[in-house]
Structures are given as C-alpha cells and as structure tokens.
C-alpha cells in the first residue's frame, strides 16, 4: 500500500494511538468495537500471565532460565505486535469480556500513549535479550523496567481495579 | 531444579499435556482454576486475533509484509510459550471469561495433545520464517498448515460454538 493511502486511511479512521499498518487498519475497520475490546483485554491478560511467570521464576529457589525465556519471548512479541488498532475510535466505552478499563484520557493523549507503548516494546525486547544472556539478578533489574512501563500507563490511563 | 524433582511435580499434579518447566508448574499450582481458564481463553483470543490479521493481509489487494511478520511473530511466540500448564488438573470444567470449550476428551488424550500442540508450535515458527523471507503466495501455503493444526484440535477437543 502506498504511503499516501495509509495516511488517508489513518485520517479517515481518526486513529492517533501508535503507528499501525494498513492490514491492521483493515481489521479494525471490519471488527466490531466489542470484539476489539475483547481482543485488547485478552492481550493484557496474556501480558499479565507472562509477566507473572517471570516473577514466579525470579521468586523461586531455583531460577528456571528456559521458563523465563519462553515467557519473555511471548511477552515481547505481543507487546511489539501492534496493539494500537485495538484502541480504534469507537472503543472508548463498551464491554469486551467486561467494561473497558481504559480511561477517556487514553484516547485523548495522542503521542504520549505511543511513547508509553514504545517503552513497553523496547523494555520487553531487552528482557528477552537479558533472559537469554544473563542470570536471575540481571533479569530482575530489567523486569523492573518492564513493570515500570506497565505502571506508568496504569497510573494515568487505567480505571483503578475495584 | 533437578530432573527428578520435575518428574515428581508432574506426577503430583497429574499433568499430561505438553512438557512444562518447573516455573510453569509453580504458577499453575498457585493460580485458581478460573484464572487458568481465563488465561487460556485469552491466549486463544490472541491466537485468533493474530491469525485474523494474517488472513486479512493475505486477502488484501496489497500485501503488507510488515503486518504479517508482526502478527506471525506474536502468534508463534504465544504458541511456543508453554500453554500446557493452563490445562492443569482441576480445569476440566469451569468458567473463565465463559464456560470452558475444552471437551473432557482433551484431558484424557495424553501424548496426542502434546503432538498437536507441537504441530502448532512448529508450523507457527515456520510461518515466521516464511513471512520474513517470502511473498504472499508462500505465506498463504504455510498459513494453511497453521490453520490445519488449529482445525485438527478443534474437531476433536473443542465444543462446537453455538
């Protein structure tokens, strides 16, 4: 797809969160808002599941390097897969598996959200590198950087869990 | 963790689906059945989301290679991340986001399920390679092999969607 066409699509759909490719735009244009919300809630469950596995491995008496590599690889791939289109216009409110926990501020934050998403992508990629090359102590430091990016977004843009 | 300890854990938990590492066992021992079911339902949503993105890219007038690589990479990483422990003993029935769609036969299928999961892991890894090195025609062929592994498992072990 030509760049000019991409820009036109982006403009038409009013998407401001993250850069997204043409295929991703096609999908979000085709999917219902509740489906997009369901997918993004599932993505964050998988992020939570894989982060939980890394934490358990770090807390265990015997460090399981293979387990951390598998969990971190899935975490990074999902974090880098292009989540932005799941926050398309029309998904500011609504129910996927449950009512969206995204605050209205998220959809108005523009480039700030892209920056946070970029931080998550970068720090999870780094976690995979550290998991493959280093021991538990180094993984713990890098995992702290990953969870800091999670917290930064939750603090500003997620409704507090009840 | 020593191999003998791993075997003991596996035996104690009665897990027969997929090989799983010690950290994964620790997590499933700690998590409630409904949480495990929620996680696995989320994993399959992410698999569906990423497969859908590949299909849309293949059906589009202009093939978006970058989009397919991102979607396939997430698909493969999740498929290879160690899903087996999410089917731990105690999760044969119950509700995550919804009632589990896994048939009782899945939990009694032993090595057959490990074989199917291995097929999914292998074919999705191959999809990433093909997506990076080839064009839409080759990706379409390999994507067919991926969805064939999905269908093989659904036919035998998933309750038909109503």
């Amino acid at each position: 797809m030509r760049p000019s066409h991409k820009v036109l699509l982006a403009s038409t759909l009013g998407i401001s969160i993250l850069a997204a490719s043409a295929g991703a735009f096609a999908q979000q244009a085709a999917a219902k808002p509740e489906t997009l919300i369901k997918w993004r809630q599932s993505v964050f469950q998988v992020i939570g599941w894989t982060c939980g596995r890394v934490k358990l491995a770090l807390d265990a008496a015997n460090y399981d390097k293979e387990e951390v590599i598998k969990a971190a690889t899935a975490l990074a791939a999902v974090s880098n897969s292009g989540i932005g289109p799941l926050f398309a216009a029309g998904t500011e409110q609504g129910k996927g598996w449950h009512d969206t926990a995204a605050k209205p501020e998220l959809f108005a934050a523009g480039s700030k959200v892209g920056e946070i998403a970029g931080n998550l992508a970068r720090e999870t990629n780094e976690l995979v590198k550290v998991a493959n090359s280093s021991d538990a102590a180094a993984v713990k430091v890098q995992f702290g950087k990953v969870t800091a990016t999670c917290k930064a977004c939750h603090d500003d843009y997620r409704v507090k869990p009840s």
Side-chain angles (χ1 to χ4, degrees), chain A:
Chain A
M1 185 168 280
R2 296 180 306 277
S4 60
H5 196 172
K6 270 194 190 177
V7 170
L8 178 65
L9 264 175
S11 168
T12 305
L13 291 164
I15 305 303
S16 62
I17 300 173
L18 305 181
S21 61
F25 278 119
Q27 184 178 46
Q28 81 200 346
K32 293 178 188 169
E34 56 262 39
T35 303
L36 295 173
I37 297 174
K38 202 176 276 189
W39 281 333
R40 76 192 186 207
Q41 290 174 341
S42 296
V43 162
F44 287 111
Q45 284 288 322
V46 170
I47 289 175
W49 171 54
T50 50
C51 280
R53 288 170 57 181
V54 174
K55 183 170 188 322
L56 271 165
L58 289 171
D59 290 346
N62 298 286
Y63 180 66
D64 186 339
K65 183 173 179 174
E66 185 198 352
E67 163 71 0
V68 172
I69 291 171
K70 281 198 294 187
T73 300
L75 169 63
V78 169
S79 299
N80 282 273
S81 69
I83 301 171
L86 300 180
F87 293 86
T91 67
E92 296 86 347
Q93 294 183 312
K95 194 169 180 163
W97 298 119
H98 52 77
D99 287 336
T100 184
K103 285 186 184 173
E105 289 86 339
L106 178 72
F107 299 89
S111 63
K112 177 71 185 156
V113 177
E115 188 186 314
I116 290 175
N119 291 344
L120 178 66
R122 188 185 65 249
E123 299 298 355
T124 54
N125 278 339
E126 186 62 25
L127 184 66
V128 175
K129 284 187 204 163
V130 175
N132 274 286
S133 64
S134 306
D135 61 3
V139 169
K140 193 169 187 174
V141 171
Q142 183 55 34
F143 184 60
K145 295 183 185 175
V146 169
T147 56
T149 68
C150 300
K151 186 175 184 303
C153 192
H154 294 174
D155 283 352
D156 290 341
Y157 300 119
R158 187 176 71 160
V159 177
K160 295 268 176 296
S162 56

